[in-house]
Amino acid sequence: MTALPDEVVLSVEDLSIDFRLRTHILHAVENVSFQLKRGQTLCLVGESGSGKSVTARSLLQIIDKPGTIVGGRILLRNGNEITDVASLAPGSRAMREIRGRRIGLIFQEPMSSLSPVHTIGSQIIEAIRLHSSLDKKAARERMVELLRQVEIPNPDQMADRYTFEFSGGMRQRAMIAMALAGNPDILIADEPTTALDVTTQAEILDLIKRLQVERGMAMLLITHDMGVVAEVADDVAVMRFGHIVERGPVDAIYHAATHPYTRQLLASTVKLTHHVEGKLAVVALSPEAPLPILSVRHLSKTFGWHGKANTLRAVDDANFDLYPGENLGIVGESGSGKTTLGRLILRTVEPTTGTVLYRGKDGSEIEVTKLGKKELRNFHRDVRLVFQDPFASLNPRMTVKDVIGDPLIVNGLAKGKALEDRVAELMRLVGLDPMGMERYPHAFSGGQRQRIGIARALALDPRIIIADEATSALDVSIRSQILDLLLDIRQRLNLSFIFISHDISVVRYFCDRVAVMHRGKIVELGEAEQICTAPQEAYTKSLISAVPNPDPRDKRMLHRQRFVAPANA
Amino acid sequence: MLAYIFRRVLYMIPTLIGMSLISFLIIQLPPGDYLTSMIATMSDSGQAVDPAQIERLKEIYGFDDPFYIQYLKWMWGIVSRGDFGWSFEWNQPVSRLIWARMGSTLVISLLSLLFVWIVALPIGIYSAVRRHSVGDHVFTFFGFIGLAVPNFILALTLMYIAYRYLGQSVGGLNSPEYAEAPWSLAKVVDFLAHLWIPIIIIGASGTAALIRILRANLTDELHKPYVITARAKGLPEYKVIMRYPVRIALNPFVSAIGWVLPHLVSGVTITAIVLNLPTAGPLLFRALVSQDMYLAGSFILLLSALTLVGMLLSDLLLALLDPRIRFN
Amino acid sequence: MTHETIGTHAGPLYVAADGPSISPLKQGKTVSTAAIGPWRLIAGKLVRQKVAMVAGFIILLLYLIGLFAEFLAPSLPATSKPQYTYAPPQGLSFFVTKPDGSSELNFHVKGYKVEIEKVALRRTFVVDDTKVVPVGFFVKGPAYKLWGLIPMNRHFIGPVNPNDPMYLLGADRLGRDVFSRLVYGTRISMSIGLVGVAMSLVLGVVLGSISGFYGGWVDTLIQRVIEVVSAMPTIPLWLGLAAAIPLTWSPVNVYFVITIIVSLLGWTSLAREVRGRFLALRSEDFVTAARLDGSSEARLIFRHILPSLTSHILAVVTLAVPTMIVAETSLSFLGIGLKPPVVSWGVLLQDAQNIRTVATAPWLLVWPSLAVVVAVLSFNFFGDGLRDAADPYDN
Amino acid sequence: VDYKEANILKEKVSSGALPPLKDRLPENPLVIKPVESVGKYGGDWNMALVGGGSLSMLFRYQAYEPLLRYKPDWSGVTLNVAEAFDGNADSTEYTIRLRKGMKWSDGHPYTTADVKFWYDTILTDKRVAATGQGHWKSGGQPAKLEVVDEQTFKVIFEKPNGMFPLQVAWANNDQTTRCPKHYLEKFHIDYNPKADELAKQQGFESWIVAFQTASGFRDDNAFFLNSSKKPCLHAWMFTIAPGENTERAVAERNPFYWKVDTEGNQLPYMDRIVYQMVADPQVLLLKAMQGEIDLMDQYIATPNNKSVLYDAREQGQYDFYTLTSTEANVMNFIFNLNHNDETKRKLFRNKDFRAALSMALDRQSLIDAVLVGQGAPAQPSIKQSDPLYNEQLATQFTNYDVDKANAMLDTLIPKRDDQNFRLDEKGRRVTVIFEIDQARAVFLDLFQLVIPMFQAVGIDAQMRTMDRSLWETRVRQGRDFDATAHQFGANGGVAAMLDPRYYVPTDSNAMYAPAWQLWYLDRNNANAEEPPEETKKQLELYDKLKSTSDPAAQQEIMKQILQGAAENFYVFGISLPPDGYGIVKNNMKNITKIMPNSFGWPTPAPTMPEQFYKV
Ligand SMILES: Nc1ncnc2c1ncn2[C@@H]1O[C@H](COP(=O)(O)OP(=O)(O)OP(=O)(O)O)[C@@H](O)[C@H]1O
Ligand SMILES: Nc1ncnc2c1ncn2[C@@H]1O[C@H](COP(=O)(O)OP(=O)(O)OP(=O)(O)O)[C@@H](O)[C@H]1O
Ligand SMILES: [Mg+2]
Ligand SMILES: [Mg+2]
């Protein structure tokens, strides 16, 4: 066994992973090498679908079925001993001891990765007790503590809730808590903050940093957020098409990138820090404003299955208008009710109170909240939703072709060969290879699945798209291209967007107006540029201040202000 | 939750009345009545029966009354005095007959249920986890033999083997020499020696179903991301499987729990008949065939009530097992 | 505005310069990357499962046997030869040893030496090596009508001399050929009973889906119906029915009606199981997504949710098959199963339900059981294959 | 005389629980001559009951104690409970004397008061309906009972009733010895004004139901159910009666039993009879093979089971005894001669039609296949060894002659359809549906072979099997059936006179003539139909037979009836029944090795089980 430098805890050498598919062998990862050092962070960035998650999973030997490690070594240091993880049998005891204890993994898709039938707390407690000798009570205390550390409000109560009662970001944080529960020496975080608002994200990154300093934890951070990379990385590796194309200290990557792809990434990042050029007039504010296409009035949703005392106002008296051709961004704290708001508009969650008015193609106004089943179906044809959790929203038993083609079929728009062509075209449009048409959703990378969701939303002629974190799993380069695509479509079809996102830069680039949500309420609504540069409300200010800066020489997150909410209403 | 249970219990009353009415009606569907079947048995042994006397008996026992009168009388007896009527065939109050058989019925049914679960659960899991392994195929093969060979024949064959090669007294739960003896170690041993045949037979047909269904449902769950999450925590494989996918794969079983209770009482009738088990199944069977209507009716009422309770339990368990159901 | 506009105007946004590298499955082959449809995908996967294909082949074979029963059976199912009651199976052999020790190709079975034991009331048979019963293919034998239409007298296999005894699988208590009866039994067993399975499957799935999908009062109603139906006493129902059905109906017709009623009563457990799964699945995001895509409720149920239950349903169906095939054995207790002269596997098993058979003529029990087991296992393995082929995770 | 008793009883006497033996026995106990030797006390007779309900065969083992009983060879009757039984010359008055000092199993005296109670509350009480005991009636009127003293009573008939003594001995015609007044009177309103309240307390609707339940005279099954509380005169009395326990029934020796052996030992020898309750005959078979059954023939001793029982003799330590058959035929083909359908009725009533079908049967092959060669072709008839034997009745139309059969049918129904089935007058295919009780396995086997034979002569014969109750309703109580098959009917001697069902339609067992037998029983019945002359003549002869008491004269009349039967050819059959068998453990002694098999002569009770013993 080759000797490793002392500070290296994990060394991946020439790792190659193949997927044996029906038609061919896919070399998802080829000859990848990198090293993780004590207390340091290696950021793995790269194109969506380039093999980052597969690499991460291979470290724990949990790659999905047809995937196999076909070459290379994964050397893990254990004191002075060194084990080759790649040579261990996946179900072996030795492997089990590494999982969770030595290497903790935060899955890319926290939404689907948690058990639907166990409480969040119990799943974390299980991880705690597995790797420590704490008794039940102590384990619970530790679990609550962990949840608190990841900024879950009322952790004591929330621990006893189920996955589906958590918002996307909350699930992600629960996932982080679970990965941290075993006090791992190495943390592999696969896009751990995609569903988190910048403030929470900052807190989490801080937490991890602290652990790194205290316990010398090494971290492999996979992310698309170049800002985050700049803030936390020590080293950066850039992946594309299964290869690491460039690797080096963070500063070198940002300021002296050599590989064209790296440069393209950074360029896209910069592009996204400004509002899109040649933007449309903000129609809402012009005097000859057309009638809004969608009006939301006093919309509220109360979740209350835990007894009266425990009801939660997920959305609290929301009011806004959406104009034709407008992009309305919604930002806000994780768990503040953004997803719920989107679902209320579509009535996949029934509002507790309030109305939603929609102006149809013929100009007539429809009260969505009163629609019957059939009219609702027509409404859904005009207003499309991109789900926050792409994996859960794709039927695991339908091939991608069926998934994207389904809206076309049910609305009688295409069938047979035409359907196939149309699906292929949609896939190409969002940057997916039509060759994957026959694959099932689970055989895609996170970002690819997200794009499948987008393709599905575009399949019909929508008038409004409610996009819930629609680009969070995409690398900046593709993200900017997708956003441009959407803008282009908007222009041609006079499409409106409700664009829910945590990524302030994306909001700024893409949206005309922005609504800021906090604890179910819309606290501020204004022009995007203004909100992003000169926020009025305290919460918005703190939010903006926490946006990471994609420049390792200017780490802005450290200067952020923390918003302390007034006593819970 | 409590409100839900309360509502369900309220629903039960009309359902039960409806069920008892329907079953009472169905019990009377076959031509003739208890007396006809009595005459049938008698003439079978070579006796002739006087028709005039039959008429008289019909009158005395109220077989002449219209259906609803008979029903109301019976119901009134139950409600007012807890009297479930009289069994013509056994010349005994129905309730005494039913209770007399309950003990052994429950013991045997519970034991075999337990047996089925203890055997089938691990095998089902094994079969799902090691799909298409030799073990999986072997279990499938034997399971289906148990299912495809009628219980009756299986019972006869096993009893023949027990007789031929083990020299064991067959049928029933005790050898004749222990039938009157007080419980002792030897009697327990004898009892256990008699128990294996019924349990194997009941198990043979029951386990296959359980194994296959568990295998089917579990296979679907095994690849779900949350299972991989559990694995990534470092949980041992059996815990991963037991805690996560198995729990979800149990959904169909929990749905079917509604039938476990009535099944405990009336299950495996034919096996019990062949094996001479003193359980309630054969009693019910005879009551139905010989049109001993109050006995049959009471049995069915009991079974209906158990079905209702079972279904309620099943729904509650379903919600307990899967919170997504609870909150919908 | 049509869809093409998006595409034509915007053009593909992002074209991968090159993707992750790929290589053909086998060295030297070119990679064909054309995507195929889901059904072809499933079919393709199915074809590659050897066990399932063998099973499917056996099922097909069974149906062929059922179809050409008259031709395949060496004798008629009801022909009884009193002198061969309970004759044991003979072995089929290809060579006879001539007196001089050399052997000669002669397809034959061995005849019997019969003795009557008066006290024991039986005939004892000893396979007599000296008696050779030549056997041939496409021989002339008892006349029959194929499918009740075409008069024929050729049999696929049979003794060259029609009066010779040939009991490949033994004879039953009336001296009838078990092999022929088994062949004839295939026809009924593989058809009528399965109609019932299909019907209760449909009922169970449809009502269960509706109950679980809609919930609310629909669910309440269906659940009450399930309770009532499942607590319904069937025995008096059968007895009543047996009296109500006109005597002039043929036994097969009667049995057909009975199977239909069995299925009308037998759907409840499947319905509840399906409902349970629906309750859990209906709030899944992918269902919501499909709803937002404009799927009708029927499509949501059958196209989107139900496939998730494929495994369960296939398992339930394969489990129901044997139950239905042998249902007669328990129904006959009540006088409503299939009855002689109709021949089915269940009827054969029914005949074997006694100690006499178990102790002295096990072939009467073994062969029909085996037939059922083979059929059921084939259905099962084929179903398994289907399941695996439809499983997205299975490669 | 010095009487002796079993040890268990001795102990009870010495402990004071029982009076001494002398006080328990009647003054003149019945002395039984053991079959082989005087036995010794002790042991259980291990038996089984199949199914919960069919208890009527308990007469066979422990409950055959009528006033007179049949002799072991069924040649006539002998004294039993009655100490004397005399009839007058024209058979209208019988004087019967009971044994003085005879006691019920609870020690209460058995006297004429019990008989009187039975006469008043059961036989003549219109409120209570009890079965049977038709022999106490003549011309539809119950006989008169005259109680002379505590032991003596007279039965006076309006018309001569010469068969009375023979009938008294019939298995279940023994209610006079089964009706303990002291036990039953509290249930009857005439004896206990509060009977209704008592009934209500017990959960009965009225005293009638309660009385019926307690007396058990509703039917034979009811009598034996839960009868452990009811005193009896039997050798063994139930301590756990059927129905009181679902697994077993136990009968223990009756300390007041009134029979002794030739050495003065009070009978019975065996302590108990233990019945296991078995739900299925196949299990019983295994138990027998295992040696758990001491003596039995019912349920298990079928031709088909013989070979397995034969093979298991060693392990089960038993051997066979022979049951001579008392049945007229193994299976009788019964056509409904009173069919509601005009054409069918006409056809079925034609003797040639039936004769042709009879000749279409290849009886020998049926015998070979189903009866393993045991039996000989024969019509339902009296057996050859019997003085009543009638050759024409036994052998006519038994030759297998398809051509002849076809020729006969061609004159009746010449037309045929495209499938070669014959067409009747109306041009309908001649279809005969045989309705069979599915429990009769032998019939089913026979019919599978018979149907092709009928089809060969152009008759579309079909078989429908059905549940027994349905069969009862359709066949025994209906007139819409075409044909059926049945067994029973007697093949000789006393039995043939008591049960002549296939020779002359006297009761509902004559299923070939449902309307004629009704006419015989009750001319006013709406469904009755006057039979043709030749049948009427037979019925008149039967009336004459009943009023004759001289055995020789009875035989003479019976011969005439049988000749009529031969000419009328109501039914036809296949074979004389081969002898049956039973199994008996090797250690059982005093067993008669050959005996008749019948319900009325309740096998093996007339061979006196009380003197069976075990070594
Ligand atoms: N089905 C539900 N049952 C109970 N509570 C729920 C449910 N769905 C959402 N909530 C709660 O409502 C609140 C708002 O959730 P929502 O998903 O709308 O947040 P979000 O703004 O989308 O957050 P994120 O950015 O993390 O996705 C959260 O506190 C969540 O716990
Ligand atoms: N089970 C599978 N079957 C076939 N191909 C797969 C499977 N899982 C992943 N892939 C393919 O492997 C490649 C790498 O996937 P991976 O999930 O590692 O991407 P990624 O870099 O994490 O992308 P993203 O940023 O979008 O999450 C992708 O092209 C994907 O389509
Ligand atoms: Mg990924
Ligand atoms: Mg959200």
Side-chain angles (χ1 to χ4, degrees), chain A residues 167-169 338-340 388 468-469 500:
Chain A
S167 78
K338 303 178 296 294
T339 301
T340 311
Q388 184 176 15
D468 196 351
E469 306 277 8
I500 301 169

Side-chain angles (χ1 to χ4, degrees), chain B residues 47 56 92 168 180 274, chain D residues 127 172 220 243 248 283 290:
Chain B
Q47 313 167 62
R56 184 81 192 98
Q92 277 197 37
Q168 199 183 317
E180 289 158 76
V274 196
Chain D
R127 290 164 294 183
N172 56 350
D220 296 336
R248 35 201 268 107
V283 186
Q290 185 81 270

Side-chain angles (χ1 to χ4, degrees), chain C residues 281-315:
Chain C
L281 284 172
R282 64 174 178 177
S283 57
E284 290 277 312
D285 262 1
F286 71 81
V287 179
T288 311
R291 192 193 300 271
L292 294 180
D293 283 348
S295 295
S296 63
E297 277 161 349
R299 191 175 169 86
L300 279 183
I301 293 175
F302 295 109
R303 178 81 181 88
H304 291 272
I305 308 184
L306 210 51
S308 304
L309 275 68
T310 318
S311 307
H312 180 76
I313 291 172
L314 279 173

